[in-house]
Structure formats: structure tokens, C-alpha cells
Amino acid sequence: MSTGPIEIQLNGASHRLPGGCSVAQLLVDAGLGERRVAVEVNGAIVPRSGHGERIVHDGDRIEIVHALGGG
């Protein structure tokens, strides 16, 4: 079920999304769908297995962190 657009804080910046967007869809839209990332919503880690089920809500504060390879 999709509603009107929502406003979230993504890595500290204001970001608009369509209502009903999941964390998985947010990652795809951000070009990170295939990357290994850690996602925190409102201070709680969302496990990778829950990205498709966790719906983003208006006002959510989301942090996305991805590892940088190195040696």
C-alpha cells in the first residue's frame, strides 16, 4: 500500500521517498542494492534479512554505512 511522499533523514540529510518504501527499496534507489551495508533506523540495526520487510516511515532517521575494502 503506497501513500503520499514521506520525508526522512538519510545520513543526516533530508530525503523524500514514496510512502510504503522498504529499506530494501531505499537501498536500490540509492544505488546500494547489491552492496553489503549496515542500516540503522531510529537507532536500531535492521538485519539484512529484514530489509525487505522494514517499511520506512515519515520522520525516520536512517543511517547507511558501507565497508570500504583495503589491505
Side-chain angles (χ1 to χ4, degrees), residues 33-58:
E34 299 300 318
R35 307 265 316 252
R36 294 184 58 85
V37 297
V39 179
E40 183 181 278
V41 178
N42 301 325
I45 297 291
V46 178
R48 187 175 179 93
S49 62
H51 288 182
E53 299 166 4
R54 175 57 165 91
I55 301 301
V56 177
H57 300 284
D58 194 48

Side-chain angles (χ1 to χ4, degrees), residues 2-69:
S2 180
T3 61
I6 62 171
E7 185 98 14
I8 65 166
Q9 289 292 312
L10 177 58
N11 291 347
S14 183
H15 192 77
R16 290 187 72 132
L17 296 173
C21 183
S22 68
V23 167
Q25 186 60 48
L26 170 63
L27 293 173
V28 168
D29 291 350
L32 300 170
E34 299 300 318
R35 307 265 316 252
R36 294 184 58 85
V37 297
V39 179
E40 183 181 278
V41 178
N42 301 325
I45 297 291
V46 178
R48 187 175 179 93
S49 62
H51 288 182
E53 299 166 4
R54 175 57 165 91
I55 301 301
V56 177
H57 300 284
D58 194 48
D60 279 351
R61 299 181 67 82
I62 300 173
E63 296 291 328
I64 299 173
V65 179
H66 48 92
L68 299 175

